[in-house]
Amino acid sequence: VGGHYAPLVRHGLQLYVSGQIPRVGDQVVGTGRAGAEVSLEQARAAARISTLRALALLQRALGSLDQVDRILRITVYVQCTPDFTQHSEVADAASDLLHTVLGEAGIHARTSIGVYQLPKNATVELELQAAALA
């Protein structure tokens, strides 16, 4: 962690996962700007990797993903060109993965946003809020 924050904060039954970029080990595997050097499918792959990282943090905090009551909300930031308009299609990759892994508990509220740049030149950054079972 590069600052005074935590990758995940739990407050009661609420879990807040800090922004996750598509990192595997120490390497950011999805970099660049969607609509330029990054295709829609590459951006979607970056969103899936970011989602897997968020799920891994939830699993570590709860002991099992079976303890997730619901994914409440995700925000997907997409580093993109000014004319790129497929932010929702990028975010769909994250939403689809959450539904595949968690079923109905993976259905959530969502915002997708196009941005000029992200940390480490990542194509996608995903943050997530979840509720644990009581």
Side-chain angles (χ1 to χ4, degrees):
V1 176
H4 293 100
Y5 71 95
L8 181 144
V9 170
R10 183 171 184 173
H11 184 74
L13 297 178
Q14 304 289 310
L15 297 106
Y16 301 88
V17 177
S18 295
Q20 299 298 304
I21 60 176
R23 185 187 312 261
V24 176
D26 291 335
Q27 183 178 2
V28 180
V29 296
T31 60
R33 199 172 302 283
E37 65 270 15
V38 176
S39 70
L40 173 60
E41 194 45 50
Q42 289 169 318
R44 288 172 52 82
R48 284 189 286 273
I49 294 167
S50 297
T51 304
L52 288 171
R53 291 180 57 82
L55 285 169
L57 288 167
L58 288 175
Q59 183 176 23
R60 187 178 317 150
L62 296 172
S64 168
L65 290 177
D66 292 337
Q67 294 303 304
V68 174
D69 184 36
R70 180 110 197 213
I71 301 298
L72 301 172
R73 174 176 185 75
I74 68 170
T75 304
V76 179
Y77 302 91
V78 182
Q79 180 188 186
C80 61
T81 60
D83 60 339
F84 184 81
T85 60
Q86 294 178 293
H87 314 93
S88 290
E89 288 85 344
V90 174
D92 284 344
S95 296
D96 292 347
L97 179 58
L98 288 168
H99 183 256
T100 297
V101 171
L102 299 170
E104 293 300 304
I107 297 175
H108 51 270
R110 182 182 87 187
T111 301
S112 54
I113 303 168
V115 298
Y116 182 71
Q117 63 185 166
L118 288 169
K120 313 289 185 202
N121 194 33
T123 302
V124 171
E125 184 170 10
L126 174 133
E127 64 181 16
L128 179 148
Q129 297 169 10
L133 290 171

